[in-house]
């Protein structure tokens, strides 16, 4: 008897359950944050979280899910605000990379999603999309925008529903004062792919690169590591 097997890869873009953070009152997210039993089918996860918080009354705190052991999980933070980070793409002059914009965030999201889907074997008909007016930002263009964004001082803090053992993590955008080497994990991956990653080893050592004080400008961290002078709370978002 032949048994069929299905391997599942999942991409999450700012999953927001609408649940309340402080009271714990559940809405649509009740019972849907623990995916640890989705094994052995769930193989690879990419979860992308825009860093900008919405007002508390919008109930838009995203969720960090609990995944199965052995599942390859990548959680990363990107520019933009919820759905505003996933709109139309267009050409953005590099000098505009130092300002928050829907176009900038959408360009980076498009590149990230396109590359990830390609890596897991899902081919997008980009030419069909471009006919509708979309711009296809290449890796080099995205790297330029990411470097410009690293020079912009717009610190934020966004709280989460954290279903993992490391409960209490938050999303932060550090200030430009921290001299981050990369905007986020996506930025680092693009530089590696393009051959512009110059660190001699995988472990980032600021003693070897004194011009950089931290690895990522955008990151998911515990509150202790985010409580610094260059990261001020902006909203509790939910």
């Amino acid at each position: 008897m032949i048994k069929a097997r299905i391997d599942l890869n999942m991409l999450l873009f700012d999953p927001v359950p609408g649940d309340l953070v402080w009271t714990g009152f559940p809405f649509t997210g009740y019972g849907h944050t623990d995916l640890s039993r989705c094994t052995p089918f769930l193989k690879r996860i990419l979860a992308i979280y825009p860093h900008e918080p919405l007002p508390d009354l919008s109930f838009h705190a995203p969720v960090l899910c609990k995944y199965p052991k052995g599942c390859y999980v990548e959680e990363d933070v990107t520019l933009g605000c919820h759905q505003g980070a996933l709109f139309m793409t267009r050409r953005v002059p590099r000098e505009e990379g130092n300002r928050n914009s829907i176009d900038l965030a959408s360009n980076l999201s498009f590149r990230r999603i396109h590359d990830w889907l390609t890596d897991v074997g899902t081919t997008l008909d980009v030419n069909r999309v471009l006919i509708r007016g979309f711009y296809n930002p290449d890796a080099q263009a995205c790297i330029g925008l990411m470097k410009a964004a690293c020079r912009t001082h717009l610190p934020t803090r966004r709280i989460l529903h954290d279903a993992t053992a490391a409960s209490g993590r938050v999303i932060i955008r550090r200030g430009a004062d921290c001299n981050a080497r990369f905007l986020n994990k996506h930025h680092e991956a693009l530089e590696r792919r393009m051959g512009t990653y110059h660190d001699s080893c995988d472990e980032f050592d600021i003693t070897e690169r004194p011009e950089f004080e931290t690895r990522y400008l955008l990151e998911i961290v515990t509150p202790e590591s985010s409580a610094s002078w260059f990261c001020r709370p902006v909203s509790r978002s939910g």
Side-chain angles (χ1 to χ4, degrees):
M1 180 178 179
I2 299 177
K3 293 183 178 180
R5 172 175 171 172
I6 297 176
D7 289 338
L8 179 64
N9 301 306
M10 186 163 62
L11 191 153
L12 305 176
F13 194 93
D14 205 33
V16 172
D19 297 352
L20 300 184
V21 173
W22 298 114
T23 66
F25 190 85
F27 287 97
T28 58
Y30 179 73
H32 294 85
T33 59
D34 187 350
L35 305 179
S36 59
R37 294 186 179 181
C38 297
T39 183
F41 310 107
L42 197 54
K43 295 298 183 182
R44 185 173 174 182
I45 300 289
L46 173 62
I48 304 173
Y49 299 89
H51 77 92
E52 295 181 35
L54 285 164
D56 292 354
L57 288 176
S58 63
F59 300 167
H60 265 63
V63 62
L64 295 174
C65 297
K66 183 178 180 181
Y67 300 107
K69 293 182 179 179
C71 177
Y72 179 76
V73 179
E74 184 175 6
E75 296 170 330
D76 201 9
V77 185
T78 192
L79 296 178
C81 179
H82 194 51
Q83 190 63 36
L86 201 60
F87 279 178
M88 287 277 290
T89 59
R90 76 170 182 89
R91 293 184 181 274
V92 179
R94 185 167 298 185
E95 58 270 18
E96 290 189 23
N98 63 354
R99 298 197 297 269
N100 268 3
S101 75
I102 290 176
D103 297 321
L104 171 59
S106 297
N107 283 359
L108 299 183
S109 295
F110 180 86
R111 180 79 271 145
R112 183 66 180 279
I113 292 171
H114 176 276
D115 291 348
W116 188 85
L117 290 176
T118 301
D119 288 344
V120 299
T122 301
T123 303
L124 293 180
D125 189 350
V126 177
N127 292 327
R128 186 175 181 181
V129 174
L130 295 179
I131 292 175
R132 300 179 181 178
F134 279 83
Y135 161 62
N136 185 8
D138 61 23
Q140 197 61 53
C142 289
I143 289 174
L145 295 174
M146 289 167 160
K147 287 182 176 179
C150 285
R151 297 190 292 269
T152 304
H153 187 74
L154 290 172
T156 59
R157 183 177 186 270
R158 187 183 183 197
I159 63 172
L160 301 156
H161 299 282
D162 195 342
T164 69
S167 59
R169 290 182 293 170
V170 295
I171 293 171
I172 64 168
R173 174 174 179 159
R174 297 183 170 95
D177 318 66
C178 72
N179 296 324
R181 172 65 177 87
F182 303 104
L183 178 69
N184 54 11
K185 295 176 183 177
H186 183 210
H187 182 187
E188 181 178 11
L190 286 180
E191 290 217 24
R192 286 180 181 274
R193 181 182 303 176
M194 299 299 294
T196 55
Y197 183 92
H198 300 302
D199 284 345
S200 59
C201 60
D202 288 338
E203 292 298 325
F204 183 72
D205 186 354
I206 61 174
T207 62
E208 298 293 330
R209 303 295 299 274
E211 68 271 32
F212 302 122
E213 296 179 15
T214 190
R215 193 180 191 98
Y216 303 119
L217 189 76
L218 305 175
E219 197 169 9
I220 300 173
V221 299
T222 59
E224 291 77 15
S225 61
S226 66
S228 60
W229 62 272
F230 55 76
C231 181
R232 61 178 177 83
V234 174
S235 172
R236 289 180 297 191
S237 183

